[in-house]
Amino acid sequence: MEQKNIAEILLNYELGISSAEENQLIESWYEAQQAVEWELDSATKEDRKNAILLQIQQQLDAKPASRRSLYKRAAWISAAAAVLLIAFALLFIPRGQSHRDTLAVIDQFKPGQVKAILKLEDGSSIALNGGKSGVKIVNGTAVYLDGSPISDMELQSRELTVEVPRGGQYQVNLPDGSKVWLNAASTLSYPMQFSAAKREVSLTGEAYFEVSKNPHKPFIVKSRNQEVQVLGTTFNINSYDNHEFVETTLLEGSVNVNQRLLVPGQRSLISKTSIQILPANIEAATAWKKGYFLFDNERLGAILATLSRWYNVDFEYEDSATQQLVFWGSIDKNQSLTRTLTFLESTGQLNFNYRNGKIVVQKK
């Protein structure tokens, strides 16, 4: 692969617009680099790094503006950042045998899958079929989205809870037709039938909502430190316990968050003592639902917490200050953990090793 073309081809590959021939070239070339031990001298590394940076900057400068340039440019820059990570990983990471062995062990942690547990009011639980993408309510009982039964017996429960473990995701269609996509390590509780006055659900973790409009029956989401009220809209709530704030991002419609109004393109950040209304990065907030993660000047601690939930793996820091390092870029949710961590290592700031069932984070 000629160096003068690599940035453009990698950028197209990351954006999903590369040709089949380019896809094969990238993937075969990447695998070839994984299989050999080699190094570049410092001068060569710097030359290649500068060439890639220059080509990506030229592509950014040539990208036409649009009315919604703020969000589009953020997405475009994030894609370019991901290209840099890929390029650095391919060009600059020496791969000795010991490091390859470490990466092979880490590769036991696989990307998340469609899976969840359905809990009933009497305390019983059912492992939901991973081959089914979600559940819904039909004629007063819970079934899979394709209409097939969840259990041999009709489910009798006034309250249902769908619990998604680490390494999972799941869709729930509520009794009113509203749709909810649950991220890893998240739980949604809701009644088998909504009351005549309101539609109320409880959330822990993260979920993306598409709420059916009903002006006579408000939709209420209760989560840590907040209550969201809507009539019909699309929004994302991130309420993981390890986050300092509960973050609600509005895509369409309008919502009241603890009696504060949000309009599309805004997000609220709520703690026990404060509430902030800020502009939102829609792509970053909802990327997880679309099959990737987009980190916009995100602390390493938050990035690895996301990876921990998705790959069902624990990270350990040799120096807690390392969690404050900031990164940006996009990561395909379905790629191997090894490749994801290699991208982070390629920044030259981190090393990852495996010890006692955990991945140890070391600052260079």
Side-chain angles (χ1 to χ4, degrees):
M1 183 183 298
E2 296 182 10
Q3 179 62 34
K4 66 179 181 180
N5 293 326
I6 188 172
E8 181 180 359
I9 294 173
L10 284 170
L11 184 55
N12 289 343
Y13 182 81
E14 181 67 13
L15 294 174
I17 60 175
S18 53
S19 67
E21 182 181 4
E22 289 171 339
N23 291 345
Q24 184 178 6
L25 184 62
I26 294 264
E27 289 162 8
S28 62
W29 193 73
Y30 179 79
E31 293 300 326
Q33 304 317 307
Q34 297 260 54
V36 298
E37 180 178 353
W38 60 286
E39 290 190 41
L40 300 172
D41 60 67
S42 297
T44 305
K45 285 183 182 181
E46 191 64 25
D47 288 345
R48 293 193 176 185
K49 173 182 172 183
N50 289 335
I52 291 170
L53 284 168
L54 177 60
Q55 289 185 51
I56 288 177
Q57 185 59 56
Q58 289 172 342
Q59 294 212 30
L60 286 174
D61 292 342
K63 188 68 177 174
S66 68
R67 293 181 181 178
R68 292 184 292 176
S69 58
L70 177 62
Y71 299 123
K72 289 190 175 182
R73 182 167 177 82
W76 179 259
I77 291 174
S78 296
V83 172
L84 283 177
L85 291 176
I86 293 172
F88 291 167
L90 296 180
L91 292 175
F92 310 137
I93 296 294
R95 299 186 182 280
Q97 183 61 45
S98 62
H99 193 64
R100 292 202 303 272
D101 290 345
T102 297
L103 294 179
V105 173
I106 290 175
D107 231 22
Q108 68 182 286
F109 300 102
K110 302 301 181 184
Q113 300 175 336
V114 175
K115 59 182 176 180
I117 296 170
L118 180 66
K119 295 186 174 182
L120 308 182
E121 194 176 26
D122 62 6
S124 61
S125 60
I126 301 170
L128 295 170
N129 187 337
K132 308 289 186 178
S133 60
V135 295
K136 63 181 180 180
I137 304 296
V138 174
N139 297 326
T141 190
V143 298
Y144 290 113
L145 292 183
D146 63 5
S148 59
I150 292 175
S151 170
D152 293 337
M153 300 179 62
E154 185 172 312
L155 301 179
Q156 297 293 330
S157 180
R158 291 177 300 177
E159 186 84 7
L160 297 174
T161 297
V162 175
E163 182 178 295
V164 179
R166 294 202 312 177
Q169 61 183 23
Y170 216 71
Q171 180 181 339
V172 178
N173 287 10
L174 297 173
D176 67 332
S178 297
K179 297 178 181 179
V180 184
W181 286 263
L182 290 169
N183 204 350
S186 300
T187 299
L188 183 74
S189 296
Y190 60 100
M192 188 78 81
Q193 186 62 48
F194 288 125
S195 72
K198 61 183 178 180
R199 301 169 287 169
E200 185 172 295
V201 303
S202 296
L203 170 71
T204 61
E206 183 168 24
Y208 178 95
F209 291 82
E210 290 182 357
V211 176
S212 298
K213 289 182 171 60
N214 186 338
H216 306 295
K217 189 183 293 189
F219 189 97
I220 300 169
V221 184
K222 290 189 173 182
S223 56
R224 178 170 57 96
N225 297 327
Q226 80 169 22
E227 180 175 296
V228 176
Q229 295 189 24
V230 303
L231 297 177
T233 189
T234 303
F235 56 97
N236 191 87
I237 296 178
N238 185 331
S239 63
Y240 287 117
D241 288 340
N242 65 320
H243 282 214
E244 180 181 0
F245 300 98
V246 176
E247 182 174 353
T248 299
T249 302
L250 183 62
L251 284 73
E252 299 176 4
S254 63
V255 299
N256 277 312
V257 181
N258 288 4
Q259 305 304 312
R260 294 285 298 275
L261 180 67
L262 286 188
V263 298
Q266 289 186 329
R267 61 178 175 145
S268 63
L269 297 177
I270 291 181
S271 68
K272 289 183 178 180
T273 59
S274 68
I275 178 170
Q276 304 174 60
I277 307 297
L278 302 169
N281 184 333
I282 301 294
E283 285 293 324
T286 61
W288 68 269
K289 178 181 174 290
K290 303 172 185 177
Y292 65 103
F293 298 118
L294 178 55
F295 301 114
D296 183 10
N297 289 321
E298 195 79 62
R299 290 184 301 104
L300 180 65
I303 292 173
L304 295 189
T306 296
L307 299 184
S308 175
R309 289 188 294 267
W310 182 240
Y311 290 94
N312 192 19
V313 62
D314 293 316
F315 290 91
E316 181 178 281
Y317 296 87
E318 285 196 343
D319 180 353
S320 60
T322 307
Q323 298 180 61
Q324 304 306 317
L325 293 173
V326 174
F327 298 88
W328 55 277
S330 64
I331 296 173
D332 184 347
K333 286 176 61 177
N334 296 313
Q335 72 184 14
S336 69
L337 180 58
T338 297
R339 191 173 183 186
T340 295
L341 297 185
T342 298
F343 293 170
L344 290 171
E345 282 187 338
S346 71
T347 63
Q349 300 184 71
L350 300 168
N351 276 328
F352 294 96
N353 286 293
Y354 183 79
R355 184 192 304 155
N356 299 326
K358 296 181 179 180
I359 297 177
V360 180
V361 185
Q362 301 167 321
K363 184 177 181 181
K364 284 189 178 181

